[in-house]
Structures are given as structure tokens and as C-alpha cells.
Amino acid sequence: MSELSVIEISEEQAPALYRANGLDSFLEQIRKQVNEVPDLTTAKGRARIASLSAQVSRSKTAIEKPGRDYLRRLKESVKPAEAEIKRFVDACDALRDEVRRPLTEWEAEQERLKAEEAMNAMHTEAVEMNEKFDQECAAKFEADHELALLMNKDFDRDAAEAKAEAERKKIEYEEELKRLPAAAALRDAEERARREREEAAHRESVLKAQAEQAERDRIEAEERSAREKKEAAEKAEHEKQEAIEAERRRNEEAEAARQQEAKRVADEDALRAADIEHRRAINASAVSALIDQGIPTDWAKACVIAIARGKVPATEIKY
């Protein structure tokens, strides 16, 4: 399989290979050389599978690349022919248009004349139609005018008859009123009484509804007031407990701070006392050592004090 990855295909071989089914021999050779089944359960087998796959890719590239180069050369080789064909076609099209231009212009002029003739014909037809319409309107106006005159005569007669009939009915109505004044008064009284009863019932209904609404409002107000009082009391109690708790926390924090400060002071005092005692012991030991060397006690103490205070150069006491 490795020899396929370095195979070289010359330009002369390309036309014979890169055609229909021209690469079948290479494809068959690749299939044969990877026709094995490595053991997938072992590392060696898995590595072999990866190697076979990579060999196929290398073989593919070795054969594909010359083919792509061959195609590129083919495309480049036809470009001059394409350019020449395009130049020839463009020149022929221009020559064709130039030869036909007189005919094209004549045809355009004929179309313009036809359009102008059609427009003139339409204009003439429109003028004739307008004249005919005006004549018809004039004739209809005359006929309608005569009909209106006849209808006006009938209308005047009908109006006079209607007026007379209305006057007659008015007289009859007035006479009827004169004959029945008591009955009319009774009907009016009954109507007024009925309206008053209805109005009283309506007022009573309104007052009842208002009273019921007022009672509902009162109950709701009492419940709302009780609820608000309860909520206010609960809120006050809650705030009181929070204040007590906050005060307790403040007291605890203050006490803790006081105790911490007292402990710090005590610790510092103890450290100072221990340091003083330590220094005193060291100094006493130094005094004793000087006395042992025959130095008088007062002088020994004075020497140690001077050294401790840094009065003696190049000399110190290590505590």
C-alpha cells in the first residue's frame, strides 16, 4: 500500500487515466491492500486499523492531486477558445443589429403611426359618444319636465284633500273632548295615582337597597378596622420583639467586646510581667556572675543596668 502514496502520474498519462472508469485499477488495488480485519480488542489491532485508514487517505491524495492539476490545465486550455468564440459572437451580433437597423427603425415608425391612428379613432368615437349622450340627456330632461308638471297638478289636489280631512278630524276630536271631560279627568287622576304608586315603590326599593348597602359597608368597615387593629398589634409586637432581640445582640456584642478587650489587656499585662520577670532574672544572674568575679555588688548592679540601658558600646544582654 505504501507504494501508492508515492505514485506519480505524468501529464501524458492523465488523459488515459482521468476518464470514465479510468481509475478502477487503482481503486481495486487499494481495496485489496486494506482487505484485512485487525483485532479491535487489542491496542495493536486498533493501531493497525488507524494505519490502514491513513494509507487509504494518502493513496487518495496521491491520485487525486494529479487529476486536479490535469483538470486545471484543461480549463486553462479552453479559455482562449472561449474568449475567441465570445469575441466572434459579439461581433456577429453587432453586425446583425447594424444590418437590420433600417428595418427596425421602419417597423418602429409603422407601429407609431398605427398607435397614432388608433388614438385618433378613439378620440373621434369619444366625441360622437359625448354628442349622443348630450342629446339623450336633453330629450330625457324634456320628458321629465312634462311629467313633473302633470304630477304637480295631482299633488296639489291630494294636498288639498288631505288638509280638508285633517281639519274635519280636528273638529271631531274637539267635539269629543267637550262631550267627555269627566272621563278624561278620571283617567288622568288614575294615571297620576298609578305613577305615584310606582314612584313610591321605586323610592322604597332604592332606600332599601341603600340601607342594605350601608349595612354591608358598616360590617365591612368594622371587619377592616378589626383586621387593621390586629395587624397593627401584631406588627407592634413583632417590632418590639425585634427591638428586644437587637438590644440583646448589642449587649452580647458589647459584653463580648469588653471581655475580649479585658483579655487582651490581661494578656498584655501578663506578657509584660513575664518579660519583666524574665529580664529581672537574667539581670540578677548577670549581677551574680559579676559578683562572682570579685566585683562589688553595687558596681555589679550598676554595670548590668548600664548594659541593659544600652550605655555600654558593643555590649548587650540577650534576654
Side-chain angles (χ1 to χ4, degrees):
M1 187 64 183
S2 58
E3 64 272 11
L4 288 177
S5 62
V6 295
I7 192 170
E8 293 184 1
I9 298 176
S10 65
E11 294 183 9
E12 292 75 13
Q13 293 175 308
L17 292 176
Y18 299 111
R19 56 181 177 79
N21 302 321
L23 298 175
D24 282 352
S25 60
F26 290 106
L27 186 59
E28 185 61 27
Q29 185 178 354
I30 294 171
R31 286 198 180 102
K32 288 181 180 179
Q33 294 193 9
V34 297
N35 187 21
E36 58 179 282
V37 184
D39 187 359
L40 188 61
T41 62
T42 65
K44 182 178 179 181
R46 292 191 292 273
R48 179 57 179 166
I49 292 174
S51 176
L52 292 174
S53 174
Q55 288 179 13
V56 172
S57 295
R58 288 194 297 272
S59 300
K60 177 201 70 172
T61 302
I63 297 174
E64 180 187 19
K65 186 177 183 302
R68 297 295 179 188
D69 294 340
Y70 174 61
L71 286 177
R72 185 169 59 256
R73 290 194 299 273
L74 287 178
K75 291 178 181 179
E76 291 294 332
S77 66
V78 301
K79 284 184 178 180
E82 290 179 350
E84 180 61 16
I85 292 172
K86 184 178 185 303
R87 186 188 67 81
F88 174 78
V89 170
D90 292 343
C92 287
D93 289 344
L95 180 60
R96 176 201 61 200
D97 295 341
E98 181 64 23
V99 171
R100 198 183 189 285
R101 184 162 56 83
L103 176 59
T104 302
E105 293 175 352
W106 181 85
E107 290 175 346
E109 179 63 17
Q110 296 303 311
E111 291 295 329
R112 187 190 66 77
L113 293 174
K114 288 181 181 179
E116 184 177 351
E117 183 179 351
M119 183 63 68
N120 292 333
M122 291 174 62
H123 177 71
T124 301
E125 183 180 359
V127 171
E128 293 175 353
M129 290 177 64
N130 286 338
E131 292 177 353
K132 182 178 180 182
F133 179 76
D134 292 341
Q135 293 173 358
E136 291 176 352
C137 287
K140 186 174 185 301
F141 177 78
E142 291 295 332
D144 291 344
H145 181 66
E146 293 178 0
L147 179 61
L149 292 176
L150 294 175
M151 291 178 66
N152 284 339
K153 293 179 180 179
D154 295 338
F155 178 78
D156 293 341
R157 184 178 61 254
D158 293 341
E161 292 177 354
K163 182 178 180 181
E165 179 65 17
E167 184 65 22
R168 183 183 63 77
K169 289 183 177 180
K170 178 181 178 183
I171 294 171
E172 290 179 355
Y173 177 72
E174 290 176 351
E175 291 177 353
E176 182 68 20
L177 289 179
K178 292 177 181 178
R179 287 195 301 270
L180 300 174
L186 178 60
R187 285 196 300 273
D188 291 342
E190 291 177 349
E191 180 64 20
R192 284 196 300 274
R194 184 186 64 79
R195 286 199 300 269
E196 289 176 357
R197 287 195 301 272
E198 290 179 352
E199 291 174 357
H202 177 69
R203 287 194 298 272
E204 182 180 358
S205 176
V206 171
L207 291 174
K208 181 180 179 182
Q210 291 176 348
E212 292 175 350
Q213 182 62 41
E215 180 64 16
R216 287 194 296 271
D217 293 343
R218 183 189 64 78
I219 295 173
E220 183 179 353
E222 290 179 353
E223 292 177 349
R224 183 170 58 254
S225 176
R227 185 170 59 253
E228 291 175 352
K229 288 180 180 179
K230 180 181 178 182
E231 292 175 353
E234 291 176 351
K235 181 180 179 182
E237 180 63 22
H238 180 69
E239 292 176 350
K240 177 182 176 182
Q241 293 300 324
E242 285 187 343
I244 293 173
E245 180 63 20
E247 182 65 21
R248 184 187 63 78
R249 287 196 300 270
R250 284 195 297 271
N251 292 337
E252 289 180 352
E253 291 172 357
E255 178 62 21
R258 187 191 63 76
Q259 292 180 1
Q260 185 176 1
E261 179 63 17
K263 182 177 182 302
R264 184 187 65 78
V265 172
D267 291 343
E268 290 180 354
D269 290 344
L271 288 174
R272 280 195 298 271
D275 184 63
I276 292 172
E277 180 61 25
H278 175 68
R279 289 174 178 270
R280 189 193 64 76
I282 296 297
N283 291 341
S285 176
V287 170
S288 297
L290 291 174
I291 292 172
D292 291 343
Q293 297 299 320
I295 298 175
T297 301
D298 292 339
W299 289 9
K301 289 180 179 180
C303 288
V304 171
I305 291 172
I307 294 171
R309 291 179 178 177
K311 302 296 185 179
V312 181
T315 305
E316 64 178 350
I317 300 174
K318 293 183 178 180
Y319 295 102

